[in-house]
Amino acid sequence: MRRLLLARHAKSSWGDVSLKDHDRPLNARGRRSAPLVAGALYDLDLTPDAVISSTSARTRETWARMEPIFEDRATVEFLPELYLASPRTVLAAIASVAPSAATLMVLGHNPSTHALAAFLSREGDPKQIRQLTRAFPTGAVAVIELAGERWDEAGDGGELLHFIRPRHLE
């Protein structure tokens, strides 16, 4: 069984208009919510074995605030191709993950995180699927148990087990 944690970076700051989009940090709300979301995942026994993340400042900072909750157990790879990637590019990155990882977190951006989570959530609680389909807020994580046994089968989708949103944890 493979568990995919599709995570959108925590809330970022628009305070410094001179920064490039790639370089925007988290704002105060994002800095508070990232460890809360990690704690909710940890409480559900959903510690990632591997993490692939965009290289943006906000995804790096989101992971830096989550990592201590997971006790630094995951291998982490920052991939430039995940910055503002298409869902197809994200699926290709997932397919390249080592088979030894049973739980994978993908830390990225919208609209690809939202689109991919909606596409892959083929089963599960209809209410949670409707909520996910409507919006994928910053800091949210869709937990999907994939039908396939290999990461290169992720495109076959699976069951949405949880849709964790920061505002429901605060």
Side-chain angles (χ1 to χ4, degrees):
M1 147 181 32
R2 304 273 174 202
R3 293 213 169 133
L4 179 62
L5 314 176
L6 286 175
R8 185 175 175 199
H9 63 81
K11 188 78 174 165
S12 61
S13 173
W14 291 89
D16 185 347
V17 294
S18 69
L19 288 177
K20 293 181 181 178
D21 181 70
H22 188 273
D23 300 330
R24 287 189 298 112
L26 297 183
N27 68 13
R29 191 168 106 202
R31 289 190 299 273
R32 279 191 316 272
S33 69
L36 291 176
V37 171
L41 290 168
Y42 185 85
D43 290 346
L44 291 166
D45 198 27
L46 292 167
T47 296
D49 302 309
V51 175
I52 55 175
S53 174
S54 161
T55 56
S56 75
R58 58 194 179 273
T59 52
R60 286 177 181 274
E61 189 176 353
T62 299
W63 176 247
R65 292 184 173 275
M66 294 177 120
E67 187 174 27
I69 306 299
F70 297 128
E71 301 168 351
D72 306 322
R73 296 193 312 212
T75 61
V76 183
E77 191 172 1
F78 293 96
L79 304 173
E81 63 267 24
L82 290 182
Y83 175 66
L84 304 181
S86 71
R88 185 179 310 265
T89 300
V90 176
L91 273 176
I94 291 168
S96 70
V97 170
S100 59
T103 302
L104 169 66
M105 177 182 280
V106 178
L107 188 49
H109 307 270
N110 269 0
S112 63
T113 302
H114 185 190
L116 190 56
F119 174 73
L120 296 178
S121 297
R122 311 258 168 95
E123 298 175 21
D125 176 8
K127 181 180 175 185
Q128 280 198 331
I129 292 174
R130 274 193 309 277
Q131 289 170 341
L132 182 151
T133 302
R134 271 190 234 123
F136 205 101
T138 52
V141 180
V143 179
I144 303 167
E145 185 170 278
L146 297 172
E149 291 297 318
R150 298 186 331 254
W151 289 116
D152 63 354
E153 298 172 322
D156 295 341
E159 179 182 359
L160 178 66
L161 300 178
H162 306 282
F163 184 43
I164 299 167
R165 291 157 292 166
R167 72 182 166 121
H168 293 221
L169 302 174
E170 296 175 338

